[in-house]
Amino acid sequence: MADQRVIDSMVVHNDGRFRLSSSMVTTAAALLVLIALVFVPLAGLFYTAFTEDTPYGPGAATLANFIQTYADPQLLRLAWNSCLFAGAGAAVTVLLGGMVAWAVERTDMPGRGVFHGLTLINFALPGLLTSMAWTLALSPRIGWLNHVAQGLLGLHQAPINIYSIGGMVWAMAAHYFPLAYLLLGPGFRALDLRLEEAATTSGARHWQVFLRVTLPLMRPVLLSTLLLLFLRGLESFEVPRILGLPARIDTLTTMIADNVRQSPPAFGSASALSMLLLAACIVLIYLYRRTIRRAEAFASITGKGYKPVPLSLGRWRWPVAAMIGLLFVVAVGVPLFTLAWQSLFQTMVQPFSGSHARVTLDNYRFVLQYPVFVQAVRTSVTLGVMSASFVVALTFLLAWIAQRSLPRAGWVLDTLASVPIAVPGIVIGVSVLFAYLILPIHVYDTIWILLIAYCTLFLPYGMRFASGGLAQIHRELEEAASVSGASRAQIFGRILLPLLAPVIVSAWIYVFVLAVRELGASIMLIGPSTQVLGTVSLTMWEEGGSYGAVCALGIIQIVPLVVMVTLLRVLERRVSRAAG
């Protein structure tokens, strides 16, 4: 059938020559764009890694970059810091996210819908801003939570130091535990409660049931979530930059950024370090895919009559809800409160200290009148709209080609579009930078080089939305319309687009929020005229300006993003009701 559709898409002349139809041209163009987005930056990274640095660009071929970088004794320290931070962060994140997922999906705890909505809202908080908020809350010198704890406990020293591996792990876990919840939730939801009931009837205690029944059945989901979060920690830039730098806890990502931003730039060393990080991430993605491929062996639900029954908590319903609520208050509420509080004062003011400092909106006026802020908002919003529109259009076209036009080659397209998920954002930025410094395409210090990086970075997310949405629409609808005489454009406009509209809007909002939050790739590619909100926030923070102004800038960023994610939640609920 696939081969016949390909033949039907061509027109054969009387002399035996083939003329490609518009659909074939569109398919070829989409493939070329995909290859350019994925392979051109990586080719630039490889080329720069194997050439020497000169004042005029890459020079002669050499292995000196690898020898110099990998022979440096501090590389082991960087790798250890990165792995320790990523591993501990992934473990704590899965623990917190697993608690929420179990309570929301497996029990009759009150407020489950509220907690699910809060996880989506937490997605709108940029990691850079939450890291700054934790600094203001738990810094040994200025942290307000430390001051409150010292007063309550009568301590002479701050009990918590956020500038440590432990502080970095908490900042990562507090930011990513909603992601762990979203990944683990479907697994808990799909478990057959009858298996646990059978074990209980056989005399097993609750902890034995959890260890011997629930955890083994959840093993593929737990392992895949751990691997994915370890990958997120390994490629993290914001937390190590804000919390690790003052404690001299360098990681691979911060060292790559320093090599590119130093004067003169050490492009070769940055490329060699990026290759190491890239290789590690590719291995993790390979292990992740192997884990999820084996998940069917652990399936516990078969048949159409299954309906999950929530576990009755009895008198523990409200205590469990209070515990989950406390987690959200600490992990989400404290950073938001810290940013909002400090944004109202010109100087550093400790909450609950009885200070008579004057509340003011001057920080907001300063930020709104700040020339770079206006430019950054314009650039960030423009990039968000352009990258979301381009990624959604391209990935839905690729998904249609993979599932409808060339299904036998669909796995190739899906794999190509998913490659960037194995590449850290900062490596994407470095790769795009090197590629377009080498190519005779003058996009450096323009919005276009940022757009290229964003589109490459967010391809996998758009592809997941597109593939999942299109898979729910049976091809018989398109075939029936085609038999009735509808053109391909009419099929797209009157059948596919209306059915896919909720998924398309959700994908667009998701990519838009990711683009506005993005920092890792941006910091490698910005120029004087292309600042974005993330880089402006980082610059204001590192220059040691007013904490109030930085917090006001954060609140101004967060509020629209929360509105966008709330809209995403409304769309999600509508789709769920329609599916039910």
Side-chain angles (χ1 to χ4, degrees):
M1 287 296 293
D3 296 336
Q4 184 62 44
R5 280 192 293 273
V6 173
I7 294 174
D8 291 343
S9 65
M10 303 178 183
V11 177
V12 183
H13 286 258
N14 293 331
D15 58 4
R17 291 180 302 161
F18 288 94
R19 178 172 61 84
L20 294 178
S21 68
S22 58
S23 64
M24 291 297 291
V25 173
T26 303
T27 300
L31 290 175
L32 287 175
V33 171
L34 177 61
I35 291 171
L37 286 175
V38 174
F39 286 113
V40 168
L42 293 180
L45 179 68
F46 274 73
Y47 179 75
T48 310
F50 288 97
T51 55
E52 63 180 7
D53 287 330
T54 72
Y56 309 101
T62 182
L63 293 176
N65 297 322
F66 290 91
I67 295 173
Q68 178 182 354
T69 301
Y70 294 170
D72 190 340
Q74 73 168 338
L75 180 62
L76 290 177
R77 181 176 60 86
L78 294 175
W80 169 251
N81 288 342
S82 297
C83 291
L84 179 61
F85 165 61
V92 176
T93 304
V94 167
L95 178 62
L96 297 180
M99 289 170 49
V100 178
W102 175 81
V104 171
E105 301 294 348
R106 299 290 287 148
T107 74
D108 61 349
M109 176 190 70
R112 288 175 292 169
V114 174
F115 292 129
H116 179 74
L118 288 175
T119 60
L120 294 180
I121 290 177
N122 190 60
F123 163 69
L125 307 182
L128 175 67
L129 296 176
T130 56
S131 299
M132 293 175 179
W134 286 118
T135 298
L136 298 177
L138 292 174
S139 165
R141 186 173 59 87
I142 62 172
W144 68 268
L145 270 180
N146 273 327
H147 281 269
V148 170
Q150 285 179 261
L152 292 176
L153 302 176
L155 300 175
H156 298 290
Q157 292 184 340
I160 301 175
N161 182 8
I162 196 67
Y163 300 127
S164 61
I165 284 289
M168 293 167 62
V169 166
W170 167 250
M172 174 185 169
H175 184 62
Y176 278 122
F177 85 87
L179 174 61
Y181 156 74
L182 294 173
L183 293 171
L184 294 172
F188 278 110
R189 194 181 312 135
L191 281 179
D192 193 341
L193 191 63
R194 290 170 293 186
L195 298 174
E196 298 174 344
E197 291 175 345
T200 304
T201 304
S202 301
R205 297 180 182 274
H206 289 297
W207 64 269
Q208 292 175 316
V209 173
F210 182 76
L211 292 177
R212 298 181 181 181
V213 179
T214 306
L215 281 185
L217 289 173
M218 287 288 294
R219 189 170 65 190
V221 181
L222 286 170
L223 287 176
S224 62
T225 303
L226 271 171
L227 285 170
L228 192 60
L229 288 168
F230 183 83
L231 174 67
R232 285 285 168 263
L234 204 60
E235 67 179 30
S236 175
F237 175 75
E238 294 92 340
V239 173
R241 188 76 180 191
I242 299 298
L243 303 181
L245 190 63
R248 298 184 179 178
I249 303 175
D250 296 319
T251 62
L252 291 171
T253 53
T254 56
M255 186 56 65
I256 291 170
D258 290 342
N259 282 339
V260 173
R261 300 178 75 187
Q262 72 182 36
S263 183
F267 290 145
S269 296
S271 298
L273 278 174
S274 297
M275 299 266 294
L276 177 63
L277 192 56
L278 175 60
C281 292
I282 289 175
V283 171
L284 288 171
I285 287 295
Y286 170 74
L287 295 174
Y288 170 74
R289 289 189 173 276
R290 282 199 60 181
T291 302
I292 61 177
R293 274 204 303 267
R294 297 177 54 200
E296 290 184 1
F298 294 79
S300 62
I301 296 175
T302 56
K304 298 181 179 180
Y306 171 78
K307 184 177 181 180
V309 179
L311 175 66
S312 176
L313 294 176
R315 62 181 182 179
W316 290 99
R317 290 177 72 243
W318 286 103
V320 170
M323 181 181 67
I324 300 299
L326 179 63
L327 173 61
F328 277 94
V329 167
V330 175
V332 182
V334 168
L336 283 176
F337 171 78
T338 301
L339 293 172
W341 173 272
Q342 190 55 48
S343 70
L344 298 175
F345 298 94
Q346 291 278 25
T347 58
M348 192 69 191
V349 176
Q350 301 290 338
F352 315 115
S353 63
S355 172
H356 298 289
R358 185 175 63 90
V359 175
T360 178
L361 296 177
D362 287 347
N363 291 317
Y364 290 91
R365 297 189 188 96
F366 171 78
V367 170
L368 293 174
Q369 295 173 1
Y370 197 46
V372 178
F373 168 76
V374 176
Q375 172 203 316
V377 170
R378 186 184 301 114
T379 304
S380 292
V381 172
T382 302
L383 282 169
V385 171
M386 294 171 68
S387 59
S389 301
F390 182 84
V391 166
V392 168
L394 178 62
T395 53
F396 274 82
L397 176 59
L398 291 171
W400 183 86
I401 294 171
Q403 297 185 26
R404 300 290 197 265
S405 182
L406 298 172
R408 291 184 182 178
W411 67 273
V412 177
L413 292 178
D414 189 67
T415 301
L416 284 176
S418 300
V419 165
I421 204 172
V423 187
I426 196 164
V427 176
I428 289 284
V430 171
S431 303
V432 171
L433 172 65
F434 294 161
Y436 289 93
L437 285 177
I438 296 169
L439 294 173
I441 303 175
H442 303 293
V443 293
Y444 182 69
D445 194 21
T446 69
I447 197 173
W448 303 110
I449 194 168
L450 286 162
L451 179 62
I452 292 169
Y454 283 21
C455 290
T456 302
L457 199 57
F458 304 137
L459 267 178
Y461 305 101
M463 199 66 180
R464 297 280 66 78
F465 276 98
S467 298
L470 198 60
Q472 294 178 348
I473 300 176
H474 203 286
R475 68 179 65 213
E476 289 178 353
L477 294 172
E478 301 167 58
E479 292 171 353
S482 180
V483 170
S484 301
S487 65
R488 185 159 294 169
Q490 290 174 318
I491 292 173
F492 267 100
R494 298 184 180 182
I495 296 177
L496 291 180
L497 284 181
L499 293 174
L500 288 171
V503 181
I504 290 174
V505 174
S506 296
W508 194 95
I509 294 174
Y510 189 87
V511 175
F512 178 87
V513 173
L514 288 176
V516 175
R517 288 175 36 179
E518 211 289 319
L519 177 65
S522 304
I523 201 169
M524 298 291 98
L525 300 170
I526 59 165
S529 60
T530 54
Q531 293 279 346
V532 295
L533 286 170
T535 58
V536 170
S537 299
L538 182 61
T539 300
M540 290 179 65
W541 180 267
E542 291 184 337
E543 287 179 349
S546 169
Y547 288 127
V550 177
C551 292
L553 176 57
I555 294 297
I556 292 172
Q557 291 182 59
I558 288 172
V559 171
L561 293 180
V562 169
V563 172
M564 297 287 288
V565 173
T566 303
L567 177 59
L568 184 64
R569 169 62 173 158
V570 172
L571 288 171
E572 180 194 42
R573 295 180 66 178
R574 287 185 178 179
V575 171
S576 298
R577 284 199 298 266

